[in-house]
Amino acid sequence: MTVRIIVMGPSGCGKSTVGLALAESIGARFIDADDLHPITNVDKMAAGIPLDDDDRMPWLGVVGRALQADDRIVIACSALRRIYRDAIRAESSDAFFAELTVDRAALEERMRARTDHFMPAALLDSQLATLESLESDENGIRVEPADVERSVSLIRAAIGDPAA
């Protein structure tokens, strides 16, 4: 069974944690899309400057192509707007999106607690202003993560994994 999943949401929602746990549970490769950003994007965000669409679109093409590199793959990627998800789907039409929904206060707390990430908490509001949740015609699920195991279970059930 081919499985190409994007675990999405704003910074601090748990994309990498849930994505890695999901990949391990289904025997898939895991990629953090942050690792696919060009250094210019990383430098911009580290300086507290939000990315614009000119920054994001080439990166999203790389993310979509990375999905096609394997038949079983999970990528943690913000994919905040519909046009961003469309850019990924242009490269990987079978992409499944799992949106992690976390309230602003929890996101800010998590971002401030991180010391090993280039995305400063000061950019949280720009991320939330950009966020367009999954729409009913998109291939995916919205998950309110209570814990990692529950999130993984809900995503596995949504993709039709018989072991879920």
Side-chain angles (χ1 to χ4, degrees), residues 10 14-15 23 40 51 53 58 60 63 67 69 73 83 89 97 103 105 115 128 135 137 140 150 159:
K15 296 181 296 290
T40 53
L51 299 181
D53 288 355
L60 292 165
V63 172
L67 271 178
I73 189 164
I83 64 167
R89 281 190 286 265
F97 292 85
D103 69 62
T115 58
L128 295 175
E135 297 179 24
D137 65 331
R150 175 85 175 130
I159 63 169

Side-chain angles (χ1 to χ4, degrees), residues 43-158:
D43 289 346
K44 196 172 181 179
M45 289 182 284
I49 303 167
L51 299 181
D52 59 28
D53 288 355
D54 290 337
D55 300 316
R56 287 187 183 101
M57 294 314 268
W59 167 67
L60 292 165
V62 170
V63 172
R65 289 187 294 280
L67 271 178
Q68 289 298 305
D70 210 315
D71 284 342
R72 297 184 72 72
I73 189 164
V74 176
I75 299 181
C77 176
S78 54
L80 296 174
R81 295 181 61 204
R82 172 81 184 237
I83 64 167
Y84 303 162
R85 297 186 294 274
D86 288 346
I88 293 169
R89 281 190 286 265
E91 300 291 339
S92 185
S93 61
D94 59 350
F96 181 91
F97 292 85
E99 178 184 358
L100 303 183
T101 61
V102 178
D103 69 62
R104 188 195 183 293
L107 291 171
E108 184 173 8
E109 180 179 322
R110 291 176 183 184
M111 289 179 76
R112 290 196 187 285
R114 295 193 303 201
T115 58
D116 61 343
H117 200 277
F118 59 81
M119 176 70 86
L123 290 181
L124 177 58
D125 288 334
S126 72
Q127 289 240 310
L128 295 175
T130 302
L131 178 63
E132 297 172 356
S133 288
L134 283 174
E135 297 179 24
S136 62
D137 65 331
E138 292 185 87
N139 185 24
I141 183 176
R142 294 186 77 209
V143 177
E144 198 170 311
D147 59 59
V148 174
E149 295 78 22
R150 175 85 175 130
S151 297
V152 166
S153 177
L154 290 169
I155 297 166
R156 288 181 67 170

